[in-house]
Amino acid sequence: MKKLALSLTICSVVLSSIVPVAAASSISETTLNDYLSKAGYPKNVINILDKEQKETIYNNKAEFAFVKSGSELLTDGQEKSLITPQELANFSAQLVGSQISSPSGYAKIILDFNFDWNYMPVFTSKDKFGIAWSDDFTALPETAKYNYKAVNNASGLYAELGNTSDYSDYNIKKGIGWEINLTAGFTRNGTFYPVGRHKGWGQVIIQRPKDKPGTPMTTAAVGNYFHKEIAGNGSLSFGLFDGKPQISISPSISFDKSNDYADVVNWTQ
């Protein structure tokens, strides 16, 4: 981790910066959770996914394929090597894969990447996160969406600063990414609330034609979070290294990259 001498600037969030939340769905969370449980999703995955993510799975009648979860220490003011990550883990993430049964001759997979950073970073600016995959799957851009909540730990109140269908970085057959503008605090009814926790997720559906019926396939995917530590805009790029999907950022010196959250989905053409 890069050492930085940065001062913390606390600023309130103006109402105009908050993206309105989409209209509430008529599907109850109980109905969604019951479906996910029957479709093979572990309880810890069901508990982490947001309602909107569950609705995509439910509406597409998808089934559980894999989950890769983990935790680590993610900071921007001290060397990770000086602290035992397992003792002071403050960042957790999970990558979830869901298979959609498609009679149209396409293999379709829903990819969800969730993160939860219980930390007040020194530098609050535009962070990036993304998902990359292998085997020439093409993302359906209209299905890409993301969410970001800035949470006050003491009260549990939060400002929802991103809940929309959008993306910031995209390579048609390799990966997709999102950008969130971290905030240090928000004002609610005249009271200022400092933010000590940052939660969010990105979701996209990918597909590819089935060209060899009956052939077993293994498709890899990875999710990463990038925290911006110094000035400079970043751009994500996606590619393969030794057959495994990877996400990188440029300029890399401006960002601290999380661990890889990676797994594979096995499917039959």
Side-chain angles (χ1 to χ4, degrees):
M1 180 73 68
K2 301 174 282 293
K3 290 184 176 180
L4 302 172
L6 298 172
S7 60
L8 177 63
T9 302
I10 302 292
C11 61
S12 62
V13 176
V14 296
L15 292 178
S16 61
S17 69
I18 299 179
V19 178
V21 179
S25 168
S26 60
I27 308 172
S28 71
E29 187 124 24
T30 298
T31 298
L32 295 171
N33 291 347
D34 286 345
Y35 173 82
L36 265 66
S37 180
K38 293 175 182 177
Y41 293 80
K43 186 175 181 180
N44 66 312
V45 173
I46 296 174
N47 290 340
I48 291 176
L49 292 174
D50 263 8
K51 187 168 186 268
E52 190 172 352
Q53 294 173 285
K54 297 174 185 178
E55 288 171 354
T56 300
I57 294 170
Y58 176 88
N59 291 333
N60 285 279
K61 297 299 181 280
E63 296 184 348
F64 177 73
F66 70 80
V67 60
K68 180 62 176 181
S69 302
S71 61
E72 60 185 287
L73 177 67
L74 186 66
T75 70
D76 62 3
Q78 52 193 325
E79 290 287 351
K80 282 186 180 180
S81 61
L82 301 179
I83 301 174
T84 304
Q86 296 304 317
E87 294 179 355
L88 291 174
N90 60 11
F91 180 90
S92 60
Q94 69 169 12
L95 178 69
V96 179
S98 306
Q99 285 184 270
I100 300 173
S101 296
S102 175
S104 62
Y106 283 85
K108 295 185 178 182
I109 301 170
I110 304 172
L111 295 174
D112 286 279
F113 181 68
N114 289 59
F115 65 88
D116 186 344
W117 193 18
N118 193 9
Y119 184 69
M120 184 180 289
V122 173
F123 194 63
T124 54
S125 188
K126 293 182 179 180
D127 282 8
K128 296 264 193 175
F129 64 99
I131 305 171
W133 54 83
S134 64
D135 294 296
D136 289 332
F137 273 81
T138 298
L140 303 177
E142 66 274 14
T143 69
K145 58 185 71 174
Y146 77 100
N147 180 278
Y148 165 53
K149 294 182 179 73
V151 184
N152 173 260
N153 285 337
S155 67
L157 295 173
Y158 63 85
E160 193 158 33
L161 307 175
N163 186 21
T164 185
S165 297
D166 200 3
Y167 55 91
S168 61
D169 303 87
Y170 176 49
N171 185 301
I172 189 170
K173 291 188 176 182
K174 293 182 180 179
I176 197 163
W178 297 269
E179 180 177 84
I180 57 172
N181 194 3
L182 296 186
T183 185
F186 60 91
T187 299
R188 183 75 52 78
N189 297 326
T191 300
F192 178 79
Y193 294 92
V195 170
R197 189 174 186 179
H198 306 271
K199 298 180 64 177
W201 53 264
Q203 181 187 72
V204 69
I205 297 177
I206 61 175
Q207 71 175 22
R208 62 161 288 176
K210 297 179 180 180
D211 52 11
K212 296 179 181 178
T215 303
M217 296 286 291
T218 298
T219 298
V222 65
N224 287 109
Y225 185 91
F226 299 82
H227 173 55
K228 185 176 180 180
E229 294 190 316
I230 59 178
N233 293 324
S235 178
L236 295 180
S237 59
F238 312 92
L240 295 175
F241 182 75
D242 285 343
K244 297 179 181 179
Q246 288 194 335
I247 309 173
S248 59
I249 197 164
S250 179
S252 61
I253 193 173
S254 298
F255 292 81
D256 187 43
K257 180 181 179 179
S258 74
N259 293 335
D260 290 343
Y261 295 86
D263 214 325
V264 298
V265 54
N266 297 305
W267 54 281
T268 302
Q269 295 212 63

